[in-house]
Amino acid sequence: TCVYMPRPAVLVVSQIAGLRAAFEARGLAGPWIRWTETGEDPALQLQSCDVLVGEPALLAPLVASAPRLAWLQSTFAGCNQLLDVPRRDYTVTRLAGCFGPDMGEYCTLHILALERQYEEQRRMQSRAEWAASRASAGFTYRRLSSLTLGVL
């Protein structure tokens, strides 16, 4: 006996440029995936939606209007906006395997900013204060070549 299981109805609500192309490049296209542009009223599509995909800030206000919602796929690592949504009868997941390089760059840049004391240097620059040397301004930092960075 063969049981036919229909594909879930997916609604994507996102401001991420290129997301549709990324879906299509991975074979994730078809009439079962619907796209709505930000600002468009997705009310009718929400009634038959099983899966919501998008940024938590855009999706949180829509959850209550999606009676069949079983799964919310966040395109962001964080989903704080969903904490204020009282409904809890659906699964929330985040995209995995795609943020690694971006998070690595983000962490590296923040470590560099801390090591080089960029905030204080920017404040001094805005006051037009120029130190004769980093040492005279109290700035000391290690060379990047002397550091090892691990991003988990």
Side-chain angles (χ1 to χ4, degrees), residues 2 19 29 34 41 46 59 63 68-69 72 90 116 134 140 148:
C2 182
L19 186 62
R34 301 208 183 253
D41 183 12
L46 285 168
L59 299 181
V63 168
R68 292 179 28 184
L69 181 64
L72 187 147
Y90 58 96
R116 302 291 168 91
R134 285 182 290 223
T140 58
T148 301

Side-chain angles (χ1 to χ4, degrees), residues 17-133:
L19 186 62
R20 184 188 301 240
F23 267 56
E24 291 170 356
R26 288 161 183 80
L28 298 171
W32 50 281
I33 296 182
R34 301 208 183 253
W35 295 82
T36 183
E37 303 303 323
T38 303
E40 182 180 326
D41 183 12
L44 292 175
Q45 295 171 343
L46 285 168
Q47 292 303 309
S48 61
C49 172
D50 300 304
V51 180
L52 274 173
V53 178
E55 295 85 63
L58 298 176
L59 299 181
L62 305 178
V63 168
S65 300
R68 292 179 28 184
L69 181 64
W71 176 22
L72 187 147
Q73 176 67 51
S74 171
T75 54
F76 283 11
C79 47
N80 293 348
Q81 295 89 345
L82 297 171
L83 296 175
D84 295 330
V85 175
R87 184 173 167 192
R88 298 278 189 249
D89 63 340
Y90 58 96
T91 299
V92 177
T93 56
R94 64 175 177 81
L95 291 178
C98 60
F99 292 120
D102 293 332
M103 291 306 290
E105 289 177 13
Y106 176 83
C107 291
T108 302
L109 289 173
H110 276 279
I111 290 169
L112 181 61
L114 291 171
E115 282 291 322
R116 302 291 168 91
Q117 300 151 346
Y118 278 179
E119 287 298 317
E120 181 56 29
Q121 290 189 44
R122 195 160 40 109
R123 280 191 286 276
M124 288 177 66
Q125 185 180 25
S126 70
R127 296 187 306 256
E129 294 176 9
W130 312 110
S133 69

